[in-house]
Amino acid sequence: MENAVKSASASRKVSAFVATDDGEDRKQRWFTIGDLAREFDVTLRTLRFYEDKGLLDPRREGLNRLYSRRDRTRLKIVLLCKRVGFSLVEIKEMLDLYDTRDGQMTQLRVVLAKFTEQVAVLEQQKKDIEAGLVELQENIADISAQIRDREQKRA
Amino acid sequence: MENAVKSASASRKVSAFVATDDGEDRKQRWFTIGDLAREFDVTLRTLRFYEDKGLLDPRREGLNRLYSRRDRTRLKIVLLCKRVGFSLVEIKEMLDLYDTRDGQMTQLRVVLAKFTEQVAVLEQQKKDIEAGLVELQENIADISAQIRDREQKRA
DNA sequence: CTCACCTTAACGCCGCGTCAGAGTGG
DNA sequence: TCCACTCTGACGCGGCGTTAAGGTGA
């Protein structure tokens, strides 16, 4: 059984897309899969899955994966994008724009547009949930009343 | 190609669990799969899938499915429960309590408990979405700034 | 003949979880 | 020897969508 790898604290830095490779721990140059799993609180399976989907591309040392600081940054971006509701395919599309030759201007603009649209998506989801909460409360009230009614008649 | 079957208006009656079989259209006794699909704005596939999962159990007329008013009520409940975020398995568990001999008291109590718990679930989801919105806005601001910066330097 | 409506069967998607079985370094 | 860590498959799930291929009655 592959063990769970728990407890971490993802440093929620703003705008990971802007590659301000922020020197927060410049010491470490390479990371094992376990390192990243612990740091970002994801499973090994997840990291391998992301690789399979083209989101990460670690080098190999023998069979073992070795992640660079760039991989680590990409992972950070992936997780940020997931938190705000993008699919892995969408995330890949955004990440792959890094290779345009205009110094990421295209990437920045596209990402800005997508993030802006995503606000509307999340707001809709929020409305759906709020509507769900209302329905829940209505039904809770109704069912409570019914229960009281029937307990009454039994008496 | 099986056609889409669109446009409907699900009558959002409160507390469908309380089987006040409400006489809103007592005329019709049996429904085809297309009838229900239109009325509740779901696909035929969905209705067959629910049957496969034990949520519905229409009789047959030859090969064709024929849904009773009771099936229709169950479907209504299924869709309500889905809107408030229950899984099909959970929904089945709640529906199956109808057969307890105490005049649905057990069902009412269990449903009340589950609905009450579900409030907390939806509220957590709402928080997650709100946190996502905050992250989105932070990043939108940051990226916008970056874009302005770089356009500046080019000039 | 067409048309609307219905049928079963089966693969596809997404984001991994969860085995199984094995290898490596200290 | 054991432990910690890693590896490659490959199936499972939830909630359906989406073909494919066909039947039935007006």
Side-chain angles (χ1 to χ4, degrees):
Chain A
M1 181 198 55
E2 205 140 328
N3 50 356
V5 189
K6 279 285 170 179
S7 106
S9 65
S11 65
R12 233 163 257 211
K13 286 231 53 178
V14 172
S15 181
F17 264 102
V18 181
T20 63
D21 226 343
D22 40 54
E24 36 164 329
D25 32 17
R26 243 185 230 301
K27 36 197 171 173
Q28 205 167 345
R29 303 230 146 241
W30 300 99
F31 308 86
T32 70
I33 192 169
D35 288 342
L36 290 190
R38 264 182 301 276
E39 179 174 3
F40 294 102
D41 196 21
V42 295
T43 67
L44 310 189
R45 179 70 178 95
T46 298
L47 292 172
R48 294 181 193 126
F49 184 74
Y50 289 171
E51 180 177 349
D52 196 54
K53 294 299 163 187
L55 295 170
L56 299 176
D57 188 25
R59 39 178 285 234
R60 297 296 185 122
E61 197 181 56
L63 278 184
N64 292 11
R65 292 166 172 81
L66 259 195
Y67 297 82
S68 66
R69 297 180 44 74
R70 188 161 186 276
D71 288 316
R72 180 168 166 278
T73 301
R74 284 178 68 101
L75 176 56
K76 223 186 237 177
I77 295 176
V78 169
L79 297 177
L80 157 63
C81 290
K82 278 213 57 196
R83 285 194 300 271
V84 301
F86 289 109
S87 73
L88 297 186
V89 170
E90 289 176 302
I91 297 172
K92 179 170 164 49
E93 286 167 5
M94 291 191 279
L95 280 172
D96 288 355
L97 290 173
Y98 188 81
D99 302 318
T100 52
R101 59 177 112 279
D102 55 2
Q104 284 81 258
M105 275 306 270
T106 304
Q107 186 183 40
L108 289 177
R109 273 197 258 268
V110 170
V111 170
L112 180 60
K114 292 222 70 173
F115 274 42
T116 304
E117 289 169 36
Q118 191 65 9
V119 170
V121 173
L122 289 199
E123 272 167 356
Q124 183 55 52
Q125 289 181 9
K126 189 176 160 186
K127 279 183 193 169
D128 292 345
I129 288 180
E130 283 166 347
L133 279 167
V134 170
E135 277 204 288
L136 270 177
Q137 305 287 15
E138 286 173 352
N139 278 274
I140 287 171
D142 262 40
I143 296 173
S144 301
Q146 272 284 331
I147 290 178
R148 275 195 300 276
D149 261 33
R150 302 196 183 193
E151 276 171 346
Q152 217 53 6
K153 286 190 180 174
R154 229 178 14 138
Chain B
M1 179 199 56
E2 205 143 322
N3 49 355
V5 189
K6 279 283 171 179
S7 105
S9 65
S11 65
R12 233 163 256 210
K13 287 230 54 178
V14 172
S15 180
F17 263 102
V18 180
T20 63
D21 226 342
D22 40 52
E24 38 165 329
D25 32 17
R26 241 183 232 303
K27 38 201 169 175
Q28 205 170 346
R29 303 230 144 240
W30 300 99
F31 307 87
T32 70
I33 193 169
D35 287 342
L36 289 190
R38 264 183 302 277
E39 178 175 2
F40 294 102
D41 197 22
V42 295
T43 68
L44 308 190
R45 180 69 177 94
T46 298
L47 292 172
R48 293 181 193 126
F49 184 74
Y50 288 172
E51 181 178 348
D52 197 51
K53 296 300 163 184
L55 296 169
L56 300 177
D57 188 24
R59 37 178 286 232
R60 297 297 185 123
E61 197 181 57
L63 277 185
N64 293 10
R65 292 166 173 81
L66 258 195
Y67 297 84
S68 66
R69 297 182 43 74
R70 188 161 185 275
D71 288 316
R72 180 170 167 278
T73 301
R74 284 178 69 101
L75 176 56
K76 223 186 237 177
I77 295 176
V78 169
L79 297 177
L80 157 63
C81 290
K82 280 214 55 196
R83 285 195 299 272
V84 301
F86 289 109
S87 75
L88 296 188
V89 171
E90 289 176 303
I91 297 173
K92 178 169 163 51
E93 287 167 4
M94 292 191 279
L95 280 173
D96 288 355
L97 290 174
Y98 188 81
D99 302 317
T100 52
R101 57 178 114 277
D102 56 1
Q104 283 82 259
M105 275 306 270
T106 303
Q107 185 181 41
L108 289 177
R109 273 198 257 268
V110 171
V111 170
L112 179 59
K114 293 224 68 174
F115 274 41
T116 304
E117 289 169 36
Q118 192 64 8
V119 169
V121 173
L122 290 199
E123 271 167 358
Q124 184 55 52
Q125 289 181 11
K126 190 177 162 189
K127 279 184 192 169
D128 293 345
I129 288 181
E130 282 166 349
L133 278 166
V134 169
E135 276 204 287
L136 270 176
Q137 305 286 17
E138 287 172 352
N139 278 275
I140 286 171
D142 262 39
I143 296 172
S144 301
Q146 273 283 331
I147 290 178
R148 275 194 301 277
D149 260 33
R150 302 197 182 191
E151 275 170 348
Q152 217 52 6
K153 285 191 181 174
R154 226 177 18 139

